Amino acid sequence: MTQQLRDTFVAHEHLAPDADLALEGIQTRIRTRRRSRIAVSGAVVAVAGVVAGAAVLLGTRVDHNATGAGQSPDLVSIAAGWLPANARLDRTTNEFGYQTRVYVTPQDTSPIRSISIGLHPGDALPWDGTDQPSRDLTVGGHPASESIVEQLYMLAMRLTDHQIATVEIGTSGSSADPAMRDTAIRVLTSMRFDRHDPVGSQFTLTYVPNGLTVRGLDRCYNVDPGTTCGSTSTTTLAPPSAVGPQVRGSLGKASDIVTGGSTVPAWPTQSSRSATVSASITPWRSMQKSWSQSPFTTEPGRPVDGHRTWVVTSPGQTALWIDNLRPGTSIVVDSGPGLTSLDEMYRVADGLHWTG
Amino acid sequence: MSRATFEEFARQELPGLLRYGVMLTGDRELAQDLVQDVMIKAHSHWRRIEAADHPRLYVKTMLTRTFISWRRRWAVRNITLSDDPVDGEPEVDHALSIVDRDDVWQRLATLPRQQRAVLVLRYYEQLTDPEIATMLGCTDGTVRGYASRALATLRLDITAELSNAKEPT
């Protein structure tokens, strides 16, 4: 088996793109980026000064900015109306204006494994501009589009106020089954958009570094280590101007459940500075073993609220781990790919209030 | 100086990184996008990477993690389903013991990204489980779990292989 897999991989090495062309592409993109930065930086400074104003730059003020969908990230406006029997809420997210609620169903009673409802700003469907197959429909008088990819059935509907409502069904059976479309339409047409329900974060932050603000909250209710969620609560910090995950791509969380994929929030795509704060259920001793080896470095940090901490440096990011802030739950302040200093990360940790 | 060093690194390592990208994504264009994205990021952090003990390993780790969390074209083109057959008795399919490499390649495309990354790291890069765990930022047990589920999905049943191996040739 080992040899069979090895042979398979080696037999496909010829698919590798030409390295010289790839290098040319990299150099072009680096040059373009440099030019864009020079051209845009002046305008950004001017606009940011007017729009963001002093509140953003104060640093000590936590500003839960309204998202693109007009809803603060600590609230969601969507809720499911009709759902299949025994579906239970698994996750609520509002990141960069992309609201999602994920429901899971017992697998022994239905081929449906998960249903994700979502709302995001804009007019573009998730598969616009891609080669993902889709078909236009009309749902409740609204233009809609469906797409079936493997065992995911996805339905998106354009609302009148430049927003897109979505339903994504993960199934263990065939997603091309007409019953999936019927289910999705029933879920979509019974969705509510007038809620102001809290995401239900387990903590609040009283300090956010200069230039960043809370742009996203994510709450998992049923954490299954290594599969659906690694963290029960995640707060994403980013500049007010940062653009979140664009509509091209996964609608979000249901596909993560179906694939068993990573559910780490996508980083803001147009920000070089961002961070997350997560409540982790993974014990430090489990992580320590992995992180004790190169290219990670771990060093004891200073205590936070009487709890032990470690500073973990790994490729592209630094994390501050506060061990067992609550029994069985640690807090991880992660610099992401950004430039948030360790001092700022400590200040974020010091200002964290656990609300449960 | 540092730019020249980055270019030197890129010239030397790109062929290997692109091959690795193909093993992860299974697709020439996606591999190119992935590697280019990571190399641009590496260029921004080159001073830190240059100072690392093993810049190649550093960038490969960035590549692996980016692949796992990549949501753009990858997500829409390659959403797949794992049937989680790990709990059940894997079905022994002797036809698969002679399946050709293209079939295995197609089956690899159905795996979730972490599972595929583990197989690539184990069987292509020939890393140990602790090395893979380090690269993915998880535990050895998680790596074994991913590998086990991936192999079960591929129906490359270890028991069948062992029994085949015991048969006189």
Side-chain angles (χ1 to χ4, degrees), chain B residues 22-92:
Chain B
V22 165
M23 300 311 146
L24 290 176
T25 62
D27 180 284
R28 186 195 298 264
E29 281 73 32
L30 285 174
Q32 179 149 324
D33 284 359
L34 176 67
V35 171
Q36 286 191 345
D37 280 1
V38 168
M39 289 299 283
I40 301 233
K41 211 189 296 178
H43 178 265
S44 309
H45 299 284
W46 183 243
R47 238 178 251 175
R48 193 189 303 172
I49 295 170
E50 193 183 27
D53 290 340
H54 305 287
R56 181 197 297 168
L57 180 62
Y58 199 109
V59 172
K60 202 165 264 188
T61 301
M62 289 172 73
L63 191 63
T64 310
R65 293 179 172 199
T66 303
F67 163 70
I68 287 172
S69 61
W70 217 23
R71 282 175 175 272
R72 287 182 291 172
R73 291 177 55 194
W74 169 259
V76 296
R77 291 177 60 173
N78 294 278
I79 293 168
T80 56
L81 175 71
S82 165
D83 288 330
D84 291 336
V86 72
D87 295 334
E89 191 67 29
E91 182 186 344
V92 177

Side-chain angles (χ1 to χ4, degrees), chain A residues 83-107:
Chain A
L83 284 172
N86 300 322
R88 63 173 166 75
L89 183 62
D90 191 58
R91 189 169 190 174
T92 301
T93 300
N94 187 348
E95 289 167 347
F96 299 94
Y98 287 65
Q99 302 181 42
T100 312
R101 290 195 135 178
V102 181
Y103 301 83
V104 293
T105 54
Q107 290 176 34

Side-chain angles (χ1 to χ4, degrees), chain A residues 315-334:
Chain A
Q317 62 195 84
T318 303
L320 174 63
W321 186 289
I322 306 146
D323 201 33
N324 276 331
L325 188 75
R326 287 292 176 278
T329 301
S330 298
I331 294 293
V332 188
V333 182
D334 195 325

Side-chain angles (χ1 to χ4, degrees), chain A residues 67-324:
Chain A
T67 62
Q71 183 73 286
S72 169
D74 51 9
L75 298 174
V76 286
S77 58
I78 56 171
W82 177 87
L83 284 172
N86 300 322
R88 63 173 166 75
L89 183 62
D90 191 58
R91 189 169 190 174
T92 301
T93 300
N94 187 348
E95 289 167 347
F96 299 94
Y98 287 65
Q99 302 181 42
T100 312
R101 290 195 135 178
V102 181
Y103 301 83
V104 293
T105 54
Q107 290 176 34
D108 54 344
T109 59
S110 164
I112 293 173
R113 296 175 66 176
S114 62
I115 292 183
S116 172
I117 60 170
L119 181 69
H120 68 246
D123 296 306
L125 300 173
W127 37 85
D128 279 355
T130 74
D131 55 5
Q132 186 172 332
S134 62
R135 198 170 76 89
D136 290 340
L137 304 171
T138 300
V139 175
H142 293 272
S145 178
E146 68 175 355
S147 182
I148 298 168
V149 179
E150 305 276 337
Q151 280 156 305
L152 283 173
Y153 176 88
M154 293 167 278
L155 180 64
M157 181 170 77
R158 295 179 203 273
L159 304 180
T160 50
D161 52 352
H162 301 289
Q163 297 191 81
I164 303 286
T166 58
V167 173
E168 185 178 304
I169 299 178
T171 170
S172 57
S174 168
S175 53
D177 183 340
M180 293 302 147
R181 179 189 295 152
D182 295 344
T183 302
I185 289 174
R186 195 166 173 192
V187 171
L188 189 57
T189 52
S190 66
M191 261 176 79
R192 297 190 57 181
F193 302 95
D194 57 349
R195 307 289 297 181
H196 300 283
D197 297 335
V199 172
S201 180
Q202 291 170 292
F203 52 81
T204 57
L205 303 177
T206 59
Y207 173 81
V208 170
N210 275 340
L212 300 185
T213 188
V214 173
R215 296 296 309 279
L217 295 178
D218 181 24
R219 175 67 196 269
C220 284
Y221 304 101
N222 303 286
V223 175
D224 183 7
T227 54
T228 309
C229 302
S231 304
T232 47
S233 265
T234 297
T235 295
T236 301
L237 306 176
S241 56
V243 177
Q246 295 300 288
V247 288
R248 286 189 194 185
S250 167
L251 291 180
K253 314 305 178 184
S255 56
D256 291 331
I257 288 174
V258 172
T259 60
S262 166
T263 54
V264 176
W267 291 110
T269 53
Q270 292 180 15
S271 169
S272 60
R273 191 158 186 259
S274 58
T276 60
V277 185
S278 301
S280 172
I281 59 158
T282 308
W284 167 251
R285 62 180 176 279
S286 299
M287 299 310 298
Q288 194 176 23
K289 191 177 169 193
S290 293
W291 284 349
S292 64
Q293 302 167 53
S294 176
F296 295 86
T297 58
T298 59
E299 293 171 4
R302 71 156 169 83
V304 169
D305 194 22
H307 297 271
R308 292 181 304 174
T309 68
W310 281 270
V311 178
V312 183
T313 307
S314 62
Q317 62 195 84
T318 303
L320 174 63
W321 186 289
I322 306 146
D323 201 33
N324 276 331

